[in-house]
């Protein structure tokens, strides 16, 4: 099923009407069999709300699809892909970089999330009963083939669901063969290092950034080079000056980790140009790009990649729950064989049962509905936590409320040490991080990184604010 959170990569200045862009992306998905006969697509009202366009715009796209025989309306089943499709689709709508021929075979544990714990989605809002039903069904359907070693690249059904979701929601044009399922972002990085990098290669990493990135690269024999980040994201000019022979860069363009700034369009284009001219690789870590509360989610950097230099990394840890232990990587068509060999050599594959459950969760439309609910919930929790902490701590901190992401940044006023305060808060049972701890070579303003996703009430936020206040005095 097409996710209701579908987001075509709109080109507002292309001269092509938005309804035609929606129509073309849906028809392309049908052409590539990412949407198959009988698959549902979302109601026009739901899709219009998600995309931030008029309902009539979506209805115009649907009407055109219906007139050409690609979709039909079926009472309670809604709008579905027609069983008897037209024999041929015009080749002009097929995305060339998504149709390569296949060369592949098919914190310490606690009783619950700690206050402000980073990287955790709202566990109290996850549909556990629904998940349990899907899990039970998958277990009952287990056959002998499900008891064999899992495919090194991932379950074909899950790879298809991921490709469909990415193409329609993140603007990433890819075929299922380009998707490699891994057990985590760290394993994704290990796969990349094994496939396209060589020991001793320099790799630019954001500073401040996500510490495990540099750690995994170092363990794999690479030389991470910290590059400063400003309001427009990674500073490419500094990167080139510091390490001109770097072979790759790891970036978080949607919400830079941890500053949550978005990589600007000029820098995105400059980075893509660098990669194309120097045969470099861009690892796009899109860890929580779905969560944006001001405007629509930003298109992925991969959607602008015409030279096949972006390796797109995603994870289910932030959108489902960390215990699912599933992530994925989208590679260019030209690199399919290289990554297949690396995956077969390095990995034994993620558990098939979990892959079946996630595949069913996406395919039945539950994933898209869950994302839609979480965006609304996180916007509410982000606001209530911000207001409560501002009321209690306003004299001591300046609260930065990014337009997206899953955490707030509390910049400390005066000469207070964020590391010392973070240590006291952790001793008091609050799982916070000091912003300065994320920086290697470039000083940052002292601050605290606080997740708001699991703080459900203003009362709880106020109580936590009072605990922080006691530690500040």
């Amino acid at each position: 099923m097409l996710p209701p959170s579908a987001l075509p990569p709109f080109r507002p200045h292309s001269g092509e009407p938005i309804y035609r862009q929606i129509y073309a992306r849906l028809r392309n998905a049908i052409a590539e069999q990412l949407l198959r006969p009988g698959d549902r697509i979302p109601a026009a009202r739901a899709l219009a709300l998600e995309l931030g366009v008029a309902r009539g715009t979506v209805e115009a796209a649907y009407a055109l699809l219906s007139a050409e025989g690609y979709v039909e309306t079926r009472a309670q089943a809604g709008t579905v892909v027609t069983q008897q499709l037209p024999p041929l689709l015009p080749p002009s709508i097929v995305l060339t970089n998504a149709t390569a021929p296949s060369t592949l075979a098919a914190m310490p544990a606690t009783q619950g999330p700690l206050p402000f714990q980073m990287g955790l989605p709202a566990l109290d809002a996850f549909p556990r009963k629904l998940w349990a039903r899907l899990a039970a069904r998958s277990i009952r359907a287990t056959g002998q083939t499900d008891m064999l070693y899992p495919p090194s690249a991932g379950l074909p059904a899950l790879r298809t669901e991921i490709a469909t979701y990415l193409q329609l929601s993140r603007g990433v044009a890819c075929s299922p063969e380009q998707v490699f399922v891994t057990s985590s972002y760290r394993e994704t990085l290990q796969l990349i290092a094994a496939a396209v990098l060589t020991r001793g290669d320099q790799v630019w990493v954001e500073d401040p950034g996500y510490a495990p990135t540099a750690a995994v690269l170092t363990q794999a024999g690479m030389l991470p080079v910290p590059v400063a980040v400003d309001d427009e994201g990674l500073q490419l000019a500094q990167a080139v000056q510091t390490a001109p022979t770097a072979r790759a860069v790891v970036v978080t363009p949607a919400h830079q980790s941890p500053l949550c700034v978005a990589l600007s369009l000029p820098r995105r284009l400059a980075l893509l140009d660098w990669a194309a001219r120097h045969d470099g690789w861009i690892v796009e870590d899109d860890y929580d790009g779905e969560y944006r509360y001001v405007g629509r989610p930003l298109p992925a950097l991969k959607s602008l990649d015409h030279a096949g230099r972006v390796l797109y990394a995603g994870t289910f840890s932030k959108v489902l729950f960390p215990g699912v232990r599933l992530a994925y990587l989208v590679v260019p068509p030209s690199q399919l064989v290289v990554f297949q060999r690396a995956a077969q050599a390095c990995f034994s594959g993620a558990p098939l049962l979990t892959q079946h459950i996630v595949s069913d969760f996406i395919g039945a439309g539950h994933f898209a509905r869950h994302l839609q609910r979480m965006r609304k919930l996180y916007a509410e929790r982000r606001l209530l936590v911000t207001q409560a902490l501002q009321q209690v701590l306003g004299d001591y901190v300046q609260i930065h409320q990014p337009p997206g992401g899953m955490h707030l940044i509390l910049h400390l006023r005066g000469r207070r040490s964020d590391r010392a305060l973070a240590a006291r808060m952790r001793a008091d049972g609050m799982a916070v991080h000091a912003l300065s701890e994320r920086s290697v070579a470039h000083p940052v303003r002292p601050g605290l990184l606080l997740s708001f996703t699991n703080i459900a009430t203003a009362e709880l936020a106020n109580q936590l604010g009072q605990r922080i206040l006691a530690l500040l005095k």
Side-chain angles (χ1 to χ4, degrees):
M1 172 176 171
L2 169 66
S5 58
L7 179 65
F10 293 142
R11 302 180 300 277
H13 304 299
S14 68
E16 184 180 19
I18 295 297
Y19 85 91
R20 291 285 307 187
Q21 296 185 41
I22 298 174
Y23 155 81
R25 181 148 299 280
L26 289 168
R27 194 170 64 160
N28 188 75
I30 296 172
E32 296 178 352
Q33 296 188 331
L34 295 175
L35 287 175
R36 298 178 181 276
D39 284 355
R40 289 176 292 168
I41 61 178
R45 179 179 179 182
L47 186 56
L49 180 64
E50 180 62 33
L51 297 180
V53 300
R55 179 175 177 179
T57 301
V58 178
E59 290 177 339
Y62 282 14
L64 191 54
L65 289 165
S66 177
E68 293 186 357
Y70 298 114
V71 301
E72 61 186 8
T73 301
R74 291 186 183 173
Q76 295 183 350
T79 303
V80 301
V81 178
T82 306
Q83 292 289 348
Q84 301 297 326
L85 291 172
L88 291 175
L89 293 172
S92 61
I93 67 165
V94 177
L95 300 178
T96 57
N97 66 334
T99 56
S102 173
T103 60
L104 299 178
M107 297 281 290
T110 64
Q111 295 301 313
L114 295 173
F116 304 124
Q117 188 169 350
M118 294 281 288
L120 288 182
L123 301 182
D124 63 313
F126 187 77
R128 293 189 296 275
K129 291 183 178 179
L130 170 62
W131 183 266
R133 288 200 299 271
L134 293 175
R137 187 173 70 185
S138 292
I139 292 172
R140 289 194 298 269
T142 298
Q144 288 187 354
T145 56
D146 299 308
M147 303 169 72
L148 300 173
Y149 291 106
S152 58
L155 182 72
L158 178 57
R159 297 167 75 191
T160 298
E161 294 295 351
I162 292 172
T164 304
Y165 164 71
L166 292 178
Q167 179 162 314
L168 298 166
S169 297
R170 304 295 295 133
V172 175
C174 63
S175 65
E177 290 78 14
Q178 293 173 250
V179 178
F180 286 74
V181 178
T182 68
S183 65
S184 66
Y185 166 68
R186 300 184 191 210
E187 188 172 273
T188 295
L189 278 183
Q190 292 169 352
L191 176 59
I192 292 170
V196 297
L197 297 178
T198 303
R199 293 185 67 87
D201 280 348
Q202 292 180 314
V203 180
W204 298 329
V205 295
E206 298 167 326
D207 188 33
Y210 182 55
T213 295
V216 171
L217 291 172
T218 299
Q219 187 178 39
M222 310 305 150
L223 302 175
V225 179
V227 178
V229 174
D230 61 18
D231 290 341
E232 294 187 58
L234 180 132
Q235 298 183 30
L236 180 58
Q238 184 204 82
V240 172
Q241 183 177 10
T242 304
T245 61
R247 289 281 295 119
V249 57
V250 183
V251 290
T252 50
H255 306 132
Q256 195 276 332
S257 175
L259 298 180
C260 281
V261 298
L263 188 65
S264 67
L265 180 59
R267 291 196 185 173
R268 292 182 183 221
L269 297 177
L271 198 58
L272 290 167
D273 179 66
W274 164 82
R277 287 189 294 107
H278 294 85
D279 289 329
W281 294 106
I282 301 171
V283 180
E284 178 178 9
D285 177 10
D286 197 23
Y287 65 102
D288 69 351
E290 294 87 355
Y291 297 135
R292 190 170 179 86
Y293 317 109
V294 179
R296 296 192 299 266
L298 298 174
L301 174 62
K302 178 65 176 175
S303 68
L304 303 173
D305 177 30
H306 303 297
R309 307 309 301 180
V310 176
L311 305 168
Y312 179 88
T315 177
F316 289 107
S317 293
K318 306 297 186 294
V319 291
L320 295 179
F321 54 90
V324 74
R325 305 316 296 152
L326 283 181
Y328 52 87
L329 174 69
V330 177
V331 308
S334 63
Q335 301 300 313
L336 289 177
V337 174
V338 173
F339 274 87
Q340 179 194 18
R341 290 172 179 167
Q344 290 174 341
C346 299
F347 306 126
S348 56
L352 270 178
L353 177 60
T354 306
Q355 294 190 62
H356 276 298
I357 300 169
V358 174
S359 177
D360 291 345
F361 191 77
I362 300 174
H366 304 307
F367 181 60
R369 287 190 288 273
H370 179 63
L371 281 180
Q372 194 170 26
R373 287 194 299 268
M374 290 303 98
R375 286 195 196 100
K376 181 176 183 295
L377 178 66
Y378 290 167
E380 294 169 353
R381 292 187 176 182
R382 171 174 170 264
L383 179 61
L384 73 84
V385 172
T386 299
Q387 290 178 339
L389 295 183
Q390 180 63 42
Q391 183 178 4
V392 177
L393 304 172
D395 292 338
Y396 300 92
V397 303
Q398 180 182 5
I399 302 177
H400 175 52
Q401 190 176 215
M406 300 167 65
H407 69 272
L408 302 172
I409 304 175
L410 272 61
H411 289 294
L412 304 182
R413 301 184 189 275
R415 292 182 169 273
R416 289 183 170 84
S417 166
D418 58 352
R419 297 191 185 203
L421 178 56
R424 291 196 295 271
M425 292 176 66
R426 287 193 288 265
D428 194 47
M430 292 178 277
V432 304
H433 294 267
L435 180 55
S436 66
E437 292 173 339
R438 296 289 190 93
S439 178
V440 175
H442 304 89
V444 293
R445 182 180 174 187
L448 301 173
L449 305 176
L450 310 178
S451 173
F452 54 78
T453 55
N454 283 284
I455 301 178
T457 66
E459 292 76 15
L460 176 57
N462 184 273
Q463 293 172 12
L464 293 170
Q466 295 293 342
R467 286 169 61 181
I468 298 173
L469 180 62
L471 297 172
L472 275 166
K473 292 183 176 179

